[in-house]
Amino acid sequence: MLSDQPTTLPRPAPIPVRDAVDRATFEREIVPAYTPVVLKGQVADWPVVRAAQQGDAVLVDLLKAGASERPLETFIGRPEIGGRFFYNDAVNGLNFERHAVPLGTTLDRLLAERDDPQAGARYVGAASATDCMPRFEASHVLPIVDPRVLPRLWIGNATTVSTHYDLSDNVACVGAGRRRFTLFPPNQLNNLYVGPLDFTLAGQPVSMVSLRNPDLERFPRFAEAMAHALTAELEPGDALYIPPLWWHQVEALSPLNLLVNYWWTASGAPPSPFEALIHSVMTVRALPAAQREAWCQMFDHYVFEANGDPAAHLPAASRGVLGPMTPTLARRISDFLMAGLRQTGM
């Protein structure tokens, strides 16, 4: 529960907890609610969970036995960053380095350094289990998600992943160690003081505020964000559902931690809405205020359907880009957008 937080900040509320569920319950009750939920003991029967209960050495032996020699992108930070991967002070570089390291080598290093306070931060993130541990998927099944959704591994020591969001639905399963999650709903965007959109740590933009030591003089609205925060500390075997666009910080609290997560989108893999956002920044943000307001109304009407179906008055065959999205229509829209970019020399 963020025990080192300044007392001037509101305490985050607990994330709702329920027992393990089946897929039908997950899809009917949890995903549509668009609220994080801890699923207690959802993967308690996984081999990595049982191995972790016997000790770090047993866990490492199990993981190494199935690991490939393929080098994985590994974040390595000096002891002084306190395990928090972030920007440098000038926000023109990062406070860690990336190296390509085989998983077995990383596991050996984590095991050897687990009692060394000067070991520094070491972290493998979003590694495809299919690539780095080919047999993992068959023996570690999460039946609440579509079997086509592939697991990704997150392995390291006591590290902190800064507050960020995912574009996809996410189920995060703790295989070893303990992890603290702190989540903020999407409507707290203005209070999180987000960093650069196009220069990020690992893909998604992050909050510039440290939860461990927030600078409320520099980031005064963050206190309001904390008033809406949710938190939970998960142990091996627990899972957490995180809806898309919910901001979350993830703290690994043990010397050796394993997280397995599953990302998917309800509509498959369409172009990212984030790209539409960036395109809008380029085309809309610099317009005069009255025109921006007019475009805001356009987006509300056509994209967010604030007034209902914007094409309901048109014959079904004449709705064009406002018709039901199909692969053919998606290609047509993509071609239209690419033609526009070519005309502007982009």
Side-chain angles (χ1 to χ4, degrees):
M1 285 291 295
L2 299 179
S3 58
D4 48 4
Q5 229 178 16
T7 57
T8 54
L9 282 177
R11 306 292 296 181
I15 299 174
V17 180
R18 60 186 297 174
D19 292 333
V21 298
D22 59 23
R23 182 173 175 182
T25 302
F26 180 71
E27 293 179 345
R28 182 181 65 250
E29 299 180 10
I30 294 179
V31 174
Y34 196 63
T35 300
V37 177
V38 173
L39 302 172
K40 195 69 180 172
Q42 184 72 51
V43 294
D45 61 342
W46 274 7
V48 291
V49 173
R50 295 196 298 267
Q53 292 169 346
Q54 300 175 59
D56 289 344
V58 176
L59 173 66
V60 167
D61 285 344
L62 175 66
L63 294 175
K64 287 181 61 179
S68 71
E69 292 298 318
R70 179 175 181 172
L72 303 176
E73 182 178 67
T74 305
F75 291 6
I76 299 175
R78 298 176 63 84
E80 51 264 33
I81 74 171
R84 182 188 182 221
F85 298 110
F86 202 61
Y87 297 102
N88 61 17
D89 291 341
V91 197
N92 60 6
L94 306 176
N95 70 354
F96 61 92
E97 297 179 348
R98 292 181 170 94
H99 296 273
V101 184
L103 178 58
T105 302
T106 295
L107 290 166
D108 286 338
R109 190 74 175 266
L110 290 170
L111 188 61
E113 296 178 343
R114 60 180 171 170
D115 297 321
D116 182 1
Q118 296 302 312
R122 190 171 295 269
Y123 174 74
V124 174
S128 167
T130 304
D131 295 334
C132 68
M133 291 193 65
R135 298 192 299 275
F136 183 91
E137 185 179 355
S139 56
H140 296 79
V141 177
L142 183 63
I144 63 175
V145 302
D146 190 301
R148 292 171 294 182
V149 178
L150 302 178
R152 293 185 176 273
L153 308 182
W154 309 72
I155 300 171
N157 51 16
T159 55
T160 297
V161 176
S162 297
T163 306
H164 66 288
Y165 65 86
D166 297 317
L167 294 169
S168 306
D169 291 91
N170 183 10
V171 174
C173 306
V174 178
R178 301 182 68 87
R179 297 217 179 207
R180 179 188 296 137
F181 291 79
T182 305
L183 283 78
F184 303 89
N187 63 11
Q188 292 307 300
L189 170 65
N190 185 51
N191 300 322
L192 291 174
Y193 298 91
V194 178
L197 298 183
D198 55 342
F199 172 45
T200 64
L201 309 182
Q204 300 300 338
V206 301
S207 169
M208 299 298 291
V209 186
S210 167
L211 270 66
R212 182 171 297 277
N213 186 28
D215 184 346
L216 295 183
E217 291 188 3
R218 183 182 176 191
F219 307 118
R221 295 192 306 274
F222 183 69
E224 177 65 18
M226 285 302 297
H228 298 271
L230 301 175
T231 191
E233 190 170 307
L234 275 61
E235 59 187 17
D238 295 342
L240 172 64
Y241 170 64
I242 305 175
L245 300 181
W246 272 73
W247 295 81
H248 50 286
Q249 174 176 283
V250 187
E251 298 171 82
L253 305 176
S254 307
L256 202 158
N257 301 270
L258 167 65
L259 184 79
V260 184
N261 94 297
Y262 299 77
W263 282 316
W264 74 98
T265 58
S267 56
S272 167
F274 183 75
E275 295 170 3
L277 172 67
I278 298 300
H279 189 73
S280 299
V281 168
M282 179 180 70
T283 58
V284 177
R285 191 174 65 161
L287 295 175
Q291 291 187 40
R292 290 203 307 272
E293 176 60 28
W295 277 108
C296 183
Q297 294 171 16
M298 284 275 206
F299 275 79
D300 282 344
H301 183 73
Y302 285 107
V303 178
F304 303 110
E305 299 188 343
N307 307 307
D309 182 356
H313 60 287
L314 296 173
S318 301
R319 293 179 182 180
V321 299
L322 297 178
M325 190 56 58
T326 64
T328 299
L329 180 56
R331 286 192 298 270
R332 177 181 164 191
I333 294 174
S334 178
D335 291 343
F336 173 83
L337 294 174
M338 292 300 296
L341 289 173
R342 284 193 296 269
Q343 287 178 1
T344 59
M346 297 296 177

